[in-house]
Amino acid sequence: MGIAVTAARFILMILNTVFVVLGICLVLAGVIVRYLGDQIIQLISPALNQINAFSSITGYTAELTTTTNGFDIQAILVENSIAFIAIGTILGAIAIFGCVGACCGLRILLFVYGIMLCIIVAAQLLAIGIVAGRYDFYRGEAITYINKAAETEYRGTNASDVFSLLVNCVQMNLKCCGVTNYTDWHKAKNWDRTQDYYPFELNVNTSPMPKPFEIPVACCQMKLPYPSITPIDVNCTSTPTTANSFYNVACFTFIEQKIKEYELYAILSTAGLILVQIIIIAAAFSICKSLGKKVGDK
């Protein structure tokens, strides 16, 4: 057996051993998430506390815990744990075929392993082609879905429901306003533009914010970082400008721009991953060929 084939077998053994370990880790992660959800909740509690802090500052108490207004974080974790277990099992099984086939020189296992990798690579290329070719379609669908949710679920900065809290936190953290435009909030059926306020309106020594609001208070520029909710200008909600608010920064566009900043790295990483898989496939079939025509030949 040539040096090249021996080296290919060694590489396949090492790589697939790593993937077997990775598969086991994914399965264990799924099991942990499924049966030890309380510990996972403790890890994400800082984020929940930050949202609760924002809620309390607005003058409302909306203790966002593991279950609020039908939004059950623990149930979501349990559902996703099945995906971890499934992916880990499939990854581990495929890697075992490659590892055992390369180690023991079992031609049939290497052949099946190569075929499975070919299917995976083909599926990846197909998925990339579909997403790239129909990006505008999926983008439009995502915008439509979020806008519909905003129309029916958003209730303003002083709301205590999960959707409004998350939207306000996103707007204040990303310093943006609306999905595609600040006027998106004008379509929000459950947002009373004459009732939204910030806590200092309760102080008789502070001038109230003019109404009706053009933008939620969460779109204003604040004196202090999140979760502070003290606008630099009380007129920002009724007369938004680039100096007192982020009304001209669309959240969806902002996120897209951030993603595009790392687009090249994502493309290179994906191309590198596919190239590695192709090399592994070539190595598997080369070893398979070198082992002879008989199934199970050594």
Side-chain angles (χ1 to χ4, degrees):
M1 186 176 295
I3 297 176
V5 174
T6 302
R9 290 179 65 176
F10 178 76
I11 292 172
L12 280 183
M13 289 167 55
I14 296 297
L15 288 176
N16 284 290
T17 299
V18 172
F19 285 123
V20 168
V21 173
L22 180 58
I24 292 173
C25 290
L26 286 174
V27 171
L28 289 176
V31 172
I32 291 172
V33 169
R34 188 171 183 81
Y35 297 105
L36 299 175
D38 293 339
Q39 284 74 6
I40 305 298
I41 295 299
Q42 291 178 5
L43 295 177
I44 64 175
S45 59
L48 299 180
N49 291 336
Q50 191 182 47
I51 295 175
N52 285 330
F54 170 78
S55 174
S56 62
I57 287 173
T58 61
Y60 283 75
T61 301
E63 289 301 317
L64 183 59
T65 56
T66 59
T67 307
T68 304
N69 296 341
F71 185 81
D72 193 336
I73 297 175
Q74 192 161 352
I76 293 173
L77 290 176
V78 170
E79 290 175 4
N80 289 330
S81 68
I82 298 174
F84 278 94
I85 294 172
I87 293 173
T89 302
I90 294 171
L91 179 63
I94 294 175
I96 288 173
F97 270 71
C99 188
V100 175
C103 177
C104 303
L106 298 177
R107 190 169 180 264
I108 184 64
L109 290 186
L110 286 172
F111 181 77
V112 173
Y113 172 73
I115 293 298
M116 288 190 292
L117 281 187
C118 285
I119 294 173
I120 291 174
V121 170
Q124 290 172 341
L125 293 174
L126 179 62
I128 292 171
I130 291 174
V131 172
R134 304 197 67 189
Y135 174 77
D136 290 337
F137 170 78
Y138 291 119
R139 181 182 184 277
E141 288 292 304
I143 291 174
T144 300
Y145 177 82
I146 299 172
N147 270 329
K148 284 184 178 179
E151 286 181 22
T152 57
E153 300 295 329
Y154 187 69
R155 290 173 170 78
T157 309
N158 61 345
S160 58
D161 63 285
V162 173
F163 183 84
S164 298
L165 281 172
L166 292 177
V167 166
N168 290 326
C169 290
V170 167
Q171 291 187 134
M172 293 184 69
N173 274 298
L174 298 185
K175 298 180 179 180
C176 58
C177 189
V179 182
T180 56
N181 190 285
Y182 75 95
T183 58
D184 291 337
W185 301 130
H186 296 177
K187 304 171 187 176
K189 300 174 183 177
N190 292 310
W191 176 37
D192 187 344
R193 293 164 59 196
T194 65
Q195 295 298 319
D196 205 346
Y197 69 95
Y198 77 109
F200 291 95
E201 284 193 309
L202 301 178
N203 187 332
V204 295
N205 297 318
T206 304
S207 300
M209 301 182 79
K211 300 180 180 67
F213 288 1
E214 288 296 316
I215 59 173
V217 181
C219 293
C220 294
Q221 294 187 28
M222 304 298 171
K223 291 182 179 179
L224 297 173
Y226 179 89
S228 170
I229 189 169
T230 307
I232 61 174
D233 180 7
V234 295
N235 297 306
C236 66
T237 54
S238 61
T239 313
T241 66
T242 54
N244 63 18
S245 70
F246 302 104
Y247 84 102
N248 64 329
V249 181
C251 292
F252 197 92
T253 303
F254 179 85
I255 294 173
E256 274 191 313
Q257 289 174 347
K258 287 298 180 182
I259 292 175
K260 286 182 179 179
E261 290 180 11
Y262 299 95
E263 186 176 29
L264 178 61
Y265 299 104
I267 292 174
L268 292 176
S269 299
T270 303
L273 178 61
I274 292 176
L275 179 61
V276 169
Q277 292 176 91
I278 292 174
I279 292 173
I280 292 174
I281 292 171
F285 283 127
S286 296
I287 298 170
C288 187
K289 182 179 180 180
S290 72
L291 292 174
K293 297 182 180 179
K294 285 187 178 181
V295 175
D297 247 0
K298 298 183 181 179

